[in-house]
């Protein structure tokens, strides 16, 4: 094997290892470092997209929400990323349609609904609305109605292709290698 082939082989091996590490990260619960980055991203999109949100949506309370979801709903890193991407798409679509779906009064409900919807889409046995209702002390009918409104605004499409997911995940960490510091 010549020097160029050996170098190519080493690069390929390193890329394969990095890909394997990424897959392991995505299927596990997010670390505290992940929660920090996810919290910052969620805080930024909410404050930029929802009028008046900067008055009560802080990095700290977003972090508490994501830690609670990680601990109690056992959302993996990839599930939380899909939920954040789904929320971002919801905010974009509602703006395009000239409808204010998520506001300061219902942001918490929207976040819980998006997490629940994502799990319904990604898992074989997701938590039922009654679980989410109990976990967040919410009215189950409000939760169910809110899910329907969200799905309607999103044209009943919450599937995200792999290429868009990877681009989104890279954006969350602002161009760094995916969650590696």
């Amino acid at each position: 094997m010549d020097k160029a082939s050996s170098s190519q082989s080493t690069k390929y091996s390193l890329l394969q290892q990095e890909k394997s590490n990424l897959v392991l990260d995505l299927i596990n619960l997010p670390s505290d470092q992940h929660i920090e980055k996810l919290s910052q991203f969620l805080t930024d999109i909410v404050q930029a997209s929802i009028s008046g949100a900067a008055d009560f949506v802080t990095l700290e309370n977003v972090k508490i929400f994501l830690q609670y979801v990680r601990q109690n709903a056992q959302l993996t890193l990839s599930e939380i990323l899909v939920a954040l991407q789904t929320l971002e798409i919801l905010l974009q679509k509602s703006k395009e349609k000239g409808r204010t779906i998520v506001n300061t009064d219902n942001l918490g409900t929207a976040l819980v609904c998006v997490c629940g919807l994502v799990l319904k889409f990604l898992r074989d046995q997701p938590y039922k609305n009654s679980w989410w209702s109990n976990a967040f002390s919410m009215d189950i009918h409000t939760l169910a109605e809110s899910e329907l409104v969200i799905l309607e605004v999103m044209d009943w499409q919450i599937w995200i292709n792999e290429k868009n997911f990877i681009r989104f995940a890279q954006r969350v960490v602002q161009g760094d290698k995916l969650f590696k510091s």
Side-chain angles (χ1 to χ4, degrees):
M1 188 186 301
D2 65 14
K3 197 173 190 175
S5 296
S6 176
S7 176
Q8 287 288 67
S9 177
T10 301
K11 286 180 185 177
Y12 179 77
S13 294
L14 290 172
L15 286 173
Q16 288 301 105
Q17 182 62 41
E18 189 172 311
K19 185 177 178 182
S20 294
N21 289 342
L22 171 61
V23 169
L24 287 175
D25 269 357
L26 291 173
I27 62 173
N28 289 316
L29 296 179
S31 68
D32 288 341
Q33 180 185 15
H34 295 141
I35 292 292
E36 286 288 333
K37 291 181 182 187
L38 295 164
S39 297
Q40 185 62 60
F41 183 83
L42 180 54
T43 301
D44 291 346
I45 65 167
V46 165
Q47 289 180 352
S49 302
I50 300 172
S51 178
D55 295 336
F56 76 94
V57 176
T58 65
L59 182 60
E60 190 57 34
N61 61 22
V62 169
K63 190 169 146 183
I64 290 167
F65 171 79
L66 290 176
Q67 288 170 333
Y68 185 85
V69 167
R70 173 184 62 184
Q71 180 68 31
N72 294 291
Q74 299 286 295
L75 266 72
T76 64
L77 177 56
S78 61
E79 290 166 338
I80 291 175
L81 282 165
V82 172
L84 294 182
Q85 189 171 14
T86 301
L87 177 66
E88 185 178 64
I89 292 167
L90 170 65
L91 293 169
Q92 290 170 349
K93 284 195 176 228
S94 64
K95 184 178 180 181
E96 289 168 10
K97 293 179 179 191
R99 296 176 63 187
T100 303
I101 301 303
V102 182
N103 58 46
T104 56
D105 293 331
N106 66 12
L107 176 60
T109 300
L111 287 170
V112 171
C113 285
V114 166
C115 289
L117 285 169
V118 163
L119 289 189
K120 288 177 182 178
F121 184 73
L122 296 175
R123 289 188 181 177
D124 290 335
Q125 296 181 330
Y127 294 107
K128 295 181 179 186
N129 283 357
S130 57
W131 184 90
W132 291 101
S133 173
N134 289 333
F136 287 93
S137 301
M138 297 173 66
D139 177 68
I140 194 165
H141 299 292
T142 301
L143 188 62
E145 289 171 10
S146 298
E147 276 187 349
L148 291 174
V149 170
I150 288 169
L151 287 168
E152 179 189 315
V153 169
M154 295 188 66
D155 301 318
W156 294 83
Q157 296 186 17
I158 60 171
W159 181 79
I160 298 166
N161 71 42
E162 184 178 347
K163 186 177 178 181
N164 288 340
F165 172 77
I166 290 170
R167 242 187 270 137
F168 176 81
Q170 288 171 330
R171 237 182 66 231
V172 170
V173 294
Q174 301 173 4
D176 295 342
K177 287 186 180 179
L178 215 52
F179 291 102
K180 302 293 181 203
S181 297

